[in-house]
Amino acid sequence: GSLVTESHQGGVQSEGLRDHVIVASLKGVGLRVVELLHLSSVPVAVVDDDPNERRAGIVKKWGVPYLNQGSNLRDCLLRAGLDRASAVICADTDELATLEIALWIREKRPDVRLVVQMENSSVADALRGVIEPGAVLNSAVLTAPSFVEVCLHQNHHSLQLEGRRFDVVQSLVDGDHGDGVTFRQLFGALAPVAITPGDGSDMALCPGRDHLIKSGDMVAVLGTPEELDESSLNMTSDVRSKIRKIPFLTRLNRRFSDVTSESTRGVFTALMAIGVLIVISTVVVRLAYRAPGSAEHLNVLSSLYFVVETVATVGFGDFSFARQEAWLQVFAIFLIIIGVTLTTVTFVLFTNLLVGRRIDQSLGRRQVPRMAGHVIVIGLGSIGVDVVDRLVAEGTQVVVVERDDTNRYLSRVRALDVPVVIADATQRQTLSMVNLAHASAVIVLTSDDFTNIETALAVRDTLGDHWQDVPVVFRVLDRNLAQTMERSFGFRYVRSTAALAAPWFVGAALGLDVIATFFIDRQPFLVGRLPIAPGGGLQGLAMQDLSAQTRVIGIRRDSGGGTFEHPPRRGTRFEGGDQAYLLGPDEEILRVLRQDQRDLGAPAT
C-alpha cells in the first residue's frame, strides 16, 4: 500500500512506499526499467534531476510516483523513501553524476541493493568493490552481442548453465513435413521456445509440444548439443562473414577509377602539358637554333637537353638564346614562363596527391575499395567499439565510418588494424567509399536515434535491389520506436538497447541472476537463474502451473546435493533453496519472480 500525492513541483511523490525500488533518472535504459518494474507489480518510485516532459508524462500515466527538484537529486531520493527502499537503480547516462550519487547512496544505506550503469571499465571495476551488495552494469557490453549475431548470420544462441551447454536454434520447417504436424512429432524431446508462423501471424511464445506447425514456419528450439545432433538440426552454420572475391573486371575498373580520380587526373594533365611543350620546343630548337660561332644546328639530343634545362631554369651556360634571331628570343621568353608555370603546378599537384594518399591511408580509405564480405560499422560509441572488438575476435573484416575525427575510440580501433573512414555515412559517396555493394552486413550505432534512422534509410536506398541480401541492423533506444520502424519501413533488424539491457538492471535489483538476453525475430527473450525462496510463492508449485509463456530449462536441487535436473517434467515441483533456470519474454520471467516473492512481502535483497 503506497500513499501517492501530487507535489507542488508538478510531479508525483510517495509518502508511504516500503520495500520498493527507486529508479534514479529516466534517461538511457531508465524508462524501460521503470516499465518492467511496473508491469511486474513491483513498487517503484522515480527521481529525476533532469526531467523530460515526454518521459515524465509516460511515468505519471502509469501511476508511478515521480519526483524532481531541479538538480537536488539527493533530496529527491530522501523524499522517495531511500531509508525504506529495497533497491536503487542509477540509470543516468552522465557517468560522473552516477558515480557521485552511487557513492552517496552507499554511505546513507550500506545495506540497500544498488545497481549502477557505468560504461567506463576502470571506474566500474573500482566501483564494484564499493557498492556491494549490488551490481555495476555496462549497457554497451550487454547489448553488443545481439548486433554481432545478426552480422555473423548466427542461427543459434549458446548458453552455459551449471557447466552444461545449451543452444537455442532456429530452424525453418520445409515442405517435406506437410502441414498439421505437431512439434513433438518433428522435434521429439526438444523444448519449443518460439514458433513464428510463415503466414505472418503472431509468434507463439514457449508453446507446448503439441502445438501444430506448418511448412514455412520458423521454429526456435532449446536443447543440448547432443539432443540437437539427434534431431539433425543445422546449428553449425558458418558464423563468419564470407570473404567474397571481387571479379577481375570490377577490380580493373576500380584501378582505372583510382588512376582517373580528380587529383590524379590533374597531375597527368600537367605532365602531359609539359611533355607537349618539351616536344614542340625541341623541334623548334632543332630546326632554328644555331650554335654560337657556327652555322650548324644542334642535334636532337642536344636540342632536347637545351629545352629541358631551359624549362627547369637550371641552365649551365653551355647554351643561350642571347645571339639568336629576335623571334627565337621571344619564343625563349614564352618557353621559360610557361615552363616554370607548368613545372610549379606539377610539383604542387604531385605533392597534394602524395599527401592526400597518405591521409587516406592513415584513415583506412586506401584499404576499403579492395574489401568484400566485410562488415561496415557506422558510429564509434561505447556499443560500436565493443561490436568492433567482437567482430575482429571472430576473424571478420570490419570497416568503421565515424563523423567525429576526435572520437576517443579511434586509436583503439586503429590499433586493431581496422580501417576508419572519417565521413558522413548518410552520403552516397561515403557509402561507395566503404564498398557497400560488397559488404556482408551494416551496423548503425551512432548515439542519436534519428541519425541512425536517416543512415539506415540512406543505406537501403544505396543498396537498391540488394537490400534484402545485406542485413542492415541499427539501434534505437525505445522499444516501441524499434517495432514501429520494422512495421513501417520494412527493416528486419532494429534493436532496442533499452529492451536488451533493462532486464539486467531489473534482475539485479530484484535478485534475479540474468544470464542472457537475445532476440528471436523481433521478440526479445531473457534467460535467468531464480533462487526459489523457502516459503515463497513458487515453493511446491508444479512446472505445468507456471505461466504458459515461461520455459523452465532446468533445476539445480538444493536437497539433492546440487544435482542438475534437465529436463524437468510437467509434474516436477519447486522446492525452497532450488535454483531454477528460466527462459521467456522478460515481462513473463519477472512476473514469475514476483510470484515467488509475493508471500515474502518484498523483493529479495
Side-chain angles (χ1 to χ4, degrees), residues 513-561:
D513 183 12
V514 178
I515 296 171
T517 55
F518 56 86
F519 273 83
I520 295 177
D521 193 25
R522 299 172 180 177
Q523 173 65 46
F525 281 80
L526 179 151
V527 179
R529 179 176 59 200
L530 173 63
I532 306 301
L538 294 182
Q539 180 167 320
L541 189 72
M543 302 296 104
Q544 60 191 10
D545 297 327
L546 277 178
S547 166
Q549 295 184 348
T550 302
R551 178 72 56 198
V552 181
I553 302 174
I555 304 172
R556 181 166 67 84
R557 292 297 190 183
D558 180 62
S559 59

Side-chain angles (χ1 to χ4, degrees), residues 196-265:
T196 307
D199 58 10
S201 55
D202 293 340
M203 174 188 291
L205 304 175
C206 299
R209 290 185 174 86
D210 294 324
H211 188 94
L212 295 178
I213 55 179
K214 301 178 181 179
S215 300
D217 290 353
M218 181 66 71
V219 180
V221 302
L222 169 74
T224 64
E226 296 77 17
E227 293 170 341
L228 293 168
D229 288 341
E230 292 178 4
S231 67
S232 301
L233 274 180
N234 177 25
M235 63 158 294
T236 58
S237 61
D238 187 1
V239 297
R240 299 188 180 186
S241 302
K242 298 293 184 182
I243 306 302
R244 300 181 306 213
K245 292 185 178 179
I246 304 176
F248 172 75
L249 291 179
T250 303
R251 295 200 309 270
L252 185 63
N253 179 63
R254 288 183 185 169
R255 290 290 186 181
F256 179 75
S257 299
D258 193 31
V259 170
T260 57
S261 64
E262 185 175 350
S263 57
T264 307
R265 188 166 56 248

Side-chain angles (χ1 to χ4, degrees), residues 430-448:
T430 302
L431 297 175
S432 175
M433 185 188 304
V434 296
N435 197 16
L436 174 62
H438 288 88
S440 64
V442 181
I443 313 179
V444 186
L445 296 170
T446 76
S447 57
D448 183 76

Side-chain angles (χ1 to χ4, degrees), residues 157-400:
H157 312 276
S158 294
L159 310 168
Q160 289 291 333
L161 309 178
E162 295 293 329
R164 299 179 63 179
R165 173 176 167 177
F166 292 82
D167 290 283
V168 178
V169 182
Q170 299 182 63
S171 178
L172 181 66
V173 179
D174 56 41
D176 295 338
H177 300 293
D179 294 338
V181 181
T182 65
F183 179 92
R184 190 190 308 274
Q185 290 174 302
L186 281 184
F187 299 103
L190 292 176
V193 175
I195 298 177
T196 307
D199 58 10
S201 55
D202 293 340
M203 174 188 291
L205 304 175
C206 299
R209 290 185 174 86
D210 294 324
H211 188 94
L212 295 178
I213 55 179
K214 301 178 181 179
S215 300
D217 290 353
M218 181 66 71
V219 180
V221 302
L222 169 74
T224 64
E226 296 77 17
E227 293 170 341
L228 293 168
D229 288 341
E230 292 178 4
S231 67
S232 301
L233 274 180
N234 177 25
M235 63 158 294
T236 58
S237 61
D238 187 1
V239 297
R240 299 188 180 186
S241 302
K242 298 293 184 182
I243 306 302
R244 300 181 306 213
K245 292 185 178 179
I246 304 176
F248 172 75
L249 291 179
T250 303
R251 295 200 309 270
L252 185 63
N253 179 63
R254 288 183 185 169
R255 290 290 186 181
F256 179 75
S257 299
D258 193 31
V259 170
T260 57
S261 64
E262 185 175 350
S263 57
T264 307
R265 188 166 56 248
V267 174
F268 282 168
T269 301
L271 289 174
M272 289 179 63
I274 291 177
V276 171
L277 177 65
I278 291 175
V279 170
I280 294 175
S281 300
T282 300
V283 172
V284 172
V285 171
R286 172 69 180 83
L287 297 177
Y289 186 88
R290 296 179 185 276
S294 172
E296 297 181 358
H297 293 283
L298 296 179
N299 59 34
V300 175
L301 181 60
S302 296
S303 299
L304 177 62
Y305 170 75
F306 184 21
V307 170
V308 171
E309 70 174 359
T310 301
V311 170
T313 66
V314 292
F316 299 107
D318 41 2
F319 297 105
S320 172
F321 286 99
R323 299 182 181 180
Q324 302 299 311
E325 298 179 17
W327 74 267
L328 195 56
Q329 292 181 9
V330 173
F331 172 80
I333 293 173
F334 282 103
L335 174 62
I336 293 172
I337 294 174
I338 296 174
V340 169
T341 302
L342 287 177
T343 302
T344 303
V345 170
T346 301
F347 274 111
V348 169
L349 291 174
F350 188 69
T351 302
N352 181 65
L353 177 64
L354 291 180
V355 173
R357 292 202 172 197
R358 180 59 180 171
I359 293 174
D360 284 347
Q361 185 174 8
S362 66
L363 296 179
R365 295 174 181 170
R366 304 298 302 170
Q367 306 173 43
V368 175
R370 299 175 180 84
M371 281 189 174
H374 55 295
V375 175
I376 301 173
V377 178
I378 300 173
L380 198 58
S382 55
I383 300 178
V385 71
D386 198 71
V387 166
V388 171
D389 285 340
R390 293 172 184 271
L391 289 172
V392 171
E394 291 286 347
T396 304
Q397 291 188 105
V398 183
V399 176
V400 172

Side-chain angles (χ1 to χ4, degrees), residues 471-519:
V472 178
V473 53
F474 65 96
R475 56 140 286 186
V476 295
L477 180 62
D478 185 73
R479 185 180 65 161
N480 294 328
L481 177 59
Q483 294 172 347
T484 301
M485 291 301 301
E486 290 177 332
R487 291 193 305 266
S488 301
F489 292 101
F491 288 105
R492 291 174 292 169
Y493 308 108
V494 186
R495 295 292 183 258
S496 166
T497 50
L500 287 166
W504 295 80
F505 289 83
V506 175
L510 300 183
L512 175 70
D513 183 12
V514 178
I515 296 171
T517 55
F518 56 86
F519 273 83

Side-chain angles (χ1 to χ4, degrees), residues 24 73-75 77 88 90 92 95-107 114:
L73 186 60
R74 297 183 180 184
D75 183 62
L77 286 166
V88 180
C90 298
D92 202 325
E95 297 198 333
L96 180 59
T98 299
L99 176 63
E100 179 184 3
I101 202 65
L103 294 177
W104 180 82
I105 291 172
R106 180 50 71 225
E107 290 179 355
L114 185 57

